[in-house]
């Protein structure tokens, strides 16, 4: 009835994994993905809606296996390729 | 760089390739990338949200304005809500008999500018799927017990609106200064998984 | 346009593209809790329509209308939904 991201109400995902003193990012590359997304959204390379859509279009098994920032990375790679972001040489 | 859409390889290596490709296209530099993260983390952290709450606890007029038009109210404190784009902020107040909990079932919408990057559990399938169906079991996992009969409203952030829970001011804090009150406010209290 | 307190029902839909109407609130009765005003309309924007806006509302749903007997009767849900997701009931 929808796509794999639309999980409100589903059973079976288990207990929360609550970390005390959790850092903002768990790996350096996650912070970089966050920064890349900020810059590309800010530059108008794609919109937040296109970004979410790119995540939602991930094959369901891939979506569920990916970590949060791996999903972001997938979406950024997808949009950079699909929208020809690298073709527009700004520098 | 002909093909950055690699679906294999470690994430760290994929990010390295992506940064190199974007750098080659003149879209970013290592310096800009570091600044984009550091400038955000510098201002967006739970202490920012805590400052808003403490002000609402000490100034009834501000509390009213916060609940009525949160964007205007936090602007009074000099807080910039922009992260990806301007967002609409709404504060929802816990009151005797009424508790609030924030979730985004579809992705991970969160008041980033007020609280910083969200915790991993907030973005997890476990939280996103269950918060709307059985919020009391979520609270229980945080050790949060509401009094019997307390009604919960779960706010699912499905549009470009970000929610902030305004917790009840703790008992026994009548003489506390605003900065002392702010120190009592936790991130989880602003999401609604904990009381303050 | 809806006003606070209006009894609405979310539309039944199953688009292949992007939408911000979650499955668990499709085809459900609710009430307008708050009028949010015009917000960026994601369904159109994700499809490449730059600048699309639409009026959005916070809609409150009772637990029984979402989960039947399997929900928590003391826990309601509010979701922020766009005008085109709603119909009057």
């Amino acid at each position: 009835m929808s796509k794999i991201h639309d999980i409100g109400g589903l059973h079976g995902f288990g207990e929360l994994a609550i970390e005390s003193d959790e850092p903002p990012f768990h790996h350096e590359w996650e912070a970089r993905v966050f920064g890349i997304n900020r810059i590309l959204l800010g530059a108008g390379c794609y919109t937040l809606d296109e970004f979410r859509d790119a995540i939602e279009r991930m094959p369901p098994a891939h979506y569920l296996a990916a970590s949060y920032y791996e999903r972001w990375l997938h979406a950024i790679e997808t949009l950079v390729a699909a929208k020809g972001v690298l073709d527009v040489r700004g520098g | 760089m002909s093909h950055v859409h690699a679906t294999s390889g470690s994430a760290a290596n994929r990010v390295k390739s992506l940064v190199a490709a974007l750098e080659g296209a003149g879209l970013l530099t290592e310096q800009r990338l570091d600044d984009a993260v550091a400038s955000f983390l510098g201002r967006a952290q739970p202490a920012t949200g805590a400052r808003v709450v403490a002000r609402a606890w000490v100034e009834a007029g501000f509390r009213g304005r916060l609940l009525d038009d949160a964007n205007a109210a936090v602007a009074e404190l000099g807080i910039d809500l922009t992260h990806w784009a301007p967002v609409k902020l709404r504060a929802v107040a816990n009151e005797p008999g009424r508790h609030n909990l924030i979730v985004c079932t579809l992705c991970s919408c969160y008041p980033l500018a007020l609280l910083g990057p969200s915790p991993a559990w907030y973005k997890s399938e476990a939280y996103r799927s269950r918060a709307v169906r059985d919020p009391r079991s979520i609270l229980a996992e945080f050790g949060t017990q509401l009094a019997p009969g307390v009604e919960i409203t779960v706010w699912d952030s499905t549009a470009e609106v970000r929610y902030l829970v305004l917790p009840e001011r703790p008992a026994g804090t009548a003489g506390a200064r605003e900065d002392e009150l702010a120190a009592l406010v936790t991130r989880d209290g602003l999401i609604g998984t904990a009381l303050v | 346009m809806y006003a606070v307190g209006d009894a609405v029902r979310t539309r039944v839909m199953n688009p292949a593209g992007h939408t911000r109407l979650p499955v668990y609130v499709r085809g459900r009765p609710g009430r307008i809790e708050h009028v949010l005003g015009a917000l960026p309309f994601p369904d159109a924007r994700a499809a490449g329509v730059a600048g699309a806006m639409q009026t959005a509302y916070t809609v409150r749903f009772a637990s029984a209308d979402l989960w039947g007997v399997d929900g928590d009767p003391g826990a309601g849900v509010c979701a922020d939904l766009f005008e085109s997701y709603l119909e009057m009931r």
Side-chain angles (χ1 to χ4, degrees):
Chain A
M1 285 294 283
S2 184
K3 289 194 285 290
I4 192 62
H5 68 288
D6 190 356
I7 57 173
L10 256 62
H11 289 274
F13 284 109
E15 293 196 351
L16 307 182
I18 302 167
E19 284 174 62
S20 53
D21 296 322
E22 185 179 340
F25 300 101
H26 291 77
H27 304 282
E28 170 68 18
W29 69 263
E30 296 182 344
R32 290 164 74 80
V33 166
F34 184 90
I36 293 167
N37 202 32
R38 261 196 116 198
I39 289 171
L40 296 185
L41 281 166
C45 294
Y46 49 80
T47 66
L48 193 51
D49 306 292
E50 289 169 327
F51 174 74
R52 291 191 185 123
D53 186 49
I55 291 177
E56 294 163 11
R57 288 178 186 281
M58 290 174 76
H62 184 183
Y63 176 95
L64 289 174
S67 73
Y68 182 73
Y69 286 107
E70 282 169 352
R71 292 174 192 165
W72 279 38
L73 177 57
H74 169 92
I76 296 168
E77 288 172 340
T78 301
L79 291 167
V80 163
K83 297 181 75 77
V85 168
L86 298 178
D87 303 338
V88 185
R89 291 190 174 262
Chain B
M1 193 69 223
S2 57
H3 189 64
V4 292
H5 189 176
T7 48
S8 58
S10 78
N13 284 333
R14 283 162 61 194
V15 172
K16 200 177 278 181
S17 307
L18 181 61
V19 168
L22 294 169
E23 218 169 356
L27 284 160
L28 53 74
T29 61
E30 287 284 348
Q31 186 62 48
R32 268 197 73 205
L33 188 49
D34 289 346
D35 291 349
V37 177
S39 67
F40 182 75
L41 292 181
R43 66 183 167 87
Q45 38 190 291
T48 309
R51 195 152 66 88
V52 174
V53 167
R55 176 63 59 87
W57 283 345
V58 299
E59 193 194 325
F62 181 81
R63 183 181 194 275
R65 295 195 295 282
L66 180 67
L67 296 175
D68 188 48
D69 182 350
N71 289 72
V74 303
E76 290 177 32
L77 302 185
I79 295 169
D80 177 7
L81 281 177
T82 306
H83 41 97
W84 312 121
V87 297
K88 193 175 176 74
L89 180 71
R90 279 195 77 196
V92 288
N94 289 345
E95 289 163 4
R98 294 180 61 89
H99 185 79
N100 296 283
L101 181 70
I102 309 307
V103 68
C104 172
T105 61
L106 296 175
C107 51
S108 57
C109 298
Y110 186 76
L112 283 177
L114 285 177
L115 301 185
S118 58
W121 59 259
Y122 183 86
K123 300 177 277 221
S124 70
E125 282 74 39
Y127 184 73
R128 288 163 45 210
S129 61
R130 183 147 49 91
V132 285
R133 175 173 62 76
D134 189 7
R136 252 171 267 261
S137 75
I138 297 279
L139 298 188
E141 285 186 48
F142 284 86
T144 302
Q145 202 74 44
L146 300 180
V150 173
E151 299 259 336
I152 302 176
T153 298
V154 183
W155 301 83
D156 190 356
S157 316
T158 44
E160 293 308 328
V161 180
R162 298 294 179 273
Y163 286 88
L164 178 77
V165 174
L166 175 54
E168 288 185 85
R169 181 170 172 164
T173 59
R177 293 193 319 268
E178 194 172 330
D179 61 324
E180 291 169 335
L181 290 170
L184 300 175
V185 180
T186 60
R187 179 199 65 199
D188 292 354
L190 302 172
I191 302 172
T193 51
L195 301 173
V196 171
Chain C
M1 291 292 282
Y2 300 104
V4 170
D6 279 355
V8 295
R9 181 179 296 276
T10 50
R11 292 182 191 276
V12 174
M13 57 171 82
N14 190 22
H18 180 68
T19 183
R20 298 291 289 181
L21 179 64
V23 163
Y24 81 94
V25 295
R26 290 185 194 168
R28 309 298 172 116
R31 273 188 193 279
I32 303 291
E33 166 95 5
H34 187 78
V35 180
L36 293 163
L39 290 176
F41 183 49
D43 307 41
R45 287 181 182 232
V49 183
M53 302 290 284
Q54 196 175 107
T55 304
Y57 304 87
T58 304
V59 181
R60 179 178 286 275
F61 299 93
S63 171
D65 290 325
L66 301 178
W67 322 112
V69 298
D70 297 313
D72 175 341
V77 173
C78 285
D80 296 331
L81 304 177
F82 290 89
E83 177 123 25
S84 59
Y85 299 168
L86 305 174
E87 56 196 10
M88 199 68 97
R89 69 179 158 94

